[in-house]
Amino acid sequence: MVARSSEVRPSAVRHSASPGAGGRRRRGAGRLAGLGLGGVALLVLLTGCDVGRTFDGFGWPQGGISAESRRMYDLWIASCIAALAVGVFVWGLIFWCIVRYRKRGNDLPVQTRYNMPMEFLYTIAPILVVSVLFYYTAIVQTDVNKVTRNPDVTVEVVAFKWNWQFNYRDGQGPDANTIASTLGTSEVIPILVLPTNRSIRFEETSRDVIHSFWVPELLFKRDVMPGKIRNVFEVSSLETEGAYVGRCAELCGTYHAFMNFELRVVSPEKYDQFLAAKQDGKTTQEALSAIGEDPYAETTRPFETRRTQNNFNPDDVPAGAGS
């Protein structure tokens, strides 16, 4: 029995110290180094091109027309690149382990326990990733939510079931005066006219239930609350003229899906002319025509209310009869 025991020990020693073990370790280190270089090359490739446009913004709306929208967009793209880099690294380690430690004969691979460097890595690395992401998110959020004392333009957004009213104000807060107003109806889409290169303050309030003011190109989706709550946010400037669709993004009732409006961005000169025309008593459509703009919405159209006799119970239809 001593002889058999002595035969086993040398074989185990020979197996652990076999000449090929060092080669296998070197090949494993080479694969790991290649994986790291591949990850670095992927990062360089991603940062060297317009990743957002290439991958359709990773689901985030593109074409922002304000500085705030670009900051939020850049944060989203950077977060996606970081997530992809971490994912590629983890997937690479998984497949490397599958290949490196695949079954060869009946011998089990070396069982490793209490690997302090590895435990330190998978404990600290997630904390670092979350901390960096939190840091930049807090910076962008603080910058985007910043308001100033004296913005160039103040607009009161009033939501109701199921349309919008835009009041151009001469100051901030509920005590300011309305100098011009646009009211939407079932037949005419309301158009909010705003200038480029001026800071704009939005003050939102609702007449009934919770609505949500959303223009995808602004990348702001802010709830419009009823009562005395005034949800306020600012845009430092609008940089691109054009027509942009706006929507209610909060389920508010029967015609929620059709509660649209349009944001019309014009030059500061045209904006001043528009306000002057409104103050002279012209309608929004007449004021838009006066500055050479399309008087009606270009990005959306009025909804069909279908409020006809066929939607109710006509008196001449017997009970139980279908239509």
Side-chain angles (χ1 to χ4, degrees):
M1 295 187 62
V2 174
R4 290 179 181 176
S5 177
S6 62
E7 289 176 0
V8 173
R9 289 194 185 96
S11 63
V13 172
R14 285 194 303 272
H15 177 72
S16 61
S18 60
R24 285 195 299 269
R25 283 194 294 270
R26 286 191 294 272
R27 287 195 299 271
R31 293 192 188 100
L32 189 58
L35 179 63
L37 290 176
V40 172
L42 178 63
L43 282 177
V44 173
L45 178 63
L46 290 177
T47 54
C49 64
D50 190 343
V51 181
R53 182 174 299 177
T54 303
F55 294 96
D56 198 22
F58 294 106
W60 192 271
Q62 301 182 73
I65 58 175
S66 67
E68 288 78 11
S69 64
R70 290 200 308 274
R71 293 188 188 98
M72 291 184 280
Y73 178 79
D74 291 342
L75 175 64
W76 173 256
I77 296 301
S79 301
C80 289
I81 293 176
L84 284 174
V86 173
V88 168
F89 179 72
V90 173
W91 295 331
L93 287 179
I94 291 174
F95 287 114
W96 177 75
C97 290
I98 292 175
V99 174
R100 172 66 178 82
Y101 297 109
R102 68 186 186 276
K103 185 176 180 181
R104 297 182 180 88
N106 295 323
D107 295 332
L108 292 175
V110 177
Q111 304 300 299
T112 303
R113 293 184 299 172
Y114 309 116
N115 189 313
M116 290 304 296
M118 184 177 296
E119 293 180 7
F120 180 82
L121 175 66
Y122 66 63
T123 301
I124 298 301
I127 295 176
L128 292 177
V129 171
V130 172
S131 299
V132 171
L133 182 61
F134 176 81
Y135 172 75
Y136 285 105
T137 300
I139 289 179
V140 173
Q141 178 176 310
T142 301
D143 184 65
V144 165
N145 289 332
K146 181 173 58 179
V147 294
T148 59
R149 289 180 176 270
N150 296 303
D152 299 324
V153 177
T154 299
V155 177
E156 182 183 47
V157 177
V158 182
F160 58 93
K161 293 192 294 189
W162 285 275
N163 222 308
W164 303 88
Q165 180 176 359
F166 303 117
N167 299 324
Y168 300 88
R169 313 277 276 182
D170 62 359
Q172 292 78 51
D175 298 329
N177 298 315
T178 297
I179 59 177
S181 182
T182 295
L183 176 63
T185 66
S186 298
E187 292 75 28
V188 179
I189 293 291
I191 298 178
L192 173 60
V193 181
L194 293 175
T196 58
N197 302 321
R198 291 184 183 177
S199 58
I200 302 167
R201 180 187 182 102
F202 297 86
E203 298 183 353
E204 304 172 337
T205 184
S206 172
R207 294 288 183 251
D208 35 53
V209 298
I210 300 176
H211 300 276
S212 183
F213 178 86
W214 180 40
V215 179
E217 284 77 11
L218 289 181
L219 291 186
F220 275 99
K221 186 186 291 183
R222 294 298 178 97
D223 284 345
V224 186
M225 313 293 289
K228 297 182 179 180
I229 301 175
R230 296 177 73 86
N231 200 353
V232 176
F233 71 97
E234 283 190 19
V235 174
S236 59
S237 68
L238 299 176
E239 301 170 352
T240 307
E241 297 183 18
Y244 307 95
V245 66
R247 308 184 186 279
C248 176
E250 182 76 22
L251 183 59
C252 57
T254 304
Y255 295 104
H256 154 74
F258 305 101
M259 189 174 165
N260 297 340
F261 64 94
E262 181 172 283
L263 170 63
R264 189 75 60 84
V265 183
V266 298
S267 66
E269 295 77 19
K270 284 188 175 183
Y271 173 76
D272 293 336
Q273 295 171 10
F274 170 81
L275 274 189
K278 288 286 292 180
Q279 291 175 313
D280 288 341
K282 292 185 178 180
T283 65
T284 300
Q285 283 64 45
E286 292 172 344
L288 283 169
S289 298
I291 62 174
E293 291 286 326
D294 192 329
Y296 294 98
E298 303 173 3
T299 58
T300 184
R301 55 190 174 88
F303 62 90
E304 175 58 52
T305 62
R306 299 183 293 275
R307 293 174 181 172
T308 63
Q309 187 177 8
N310 293 330
N311 296 113
F312 302 96
N313 292 323
D315 296 332
D316 57 347
V317 177
S323 59

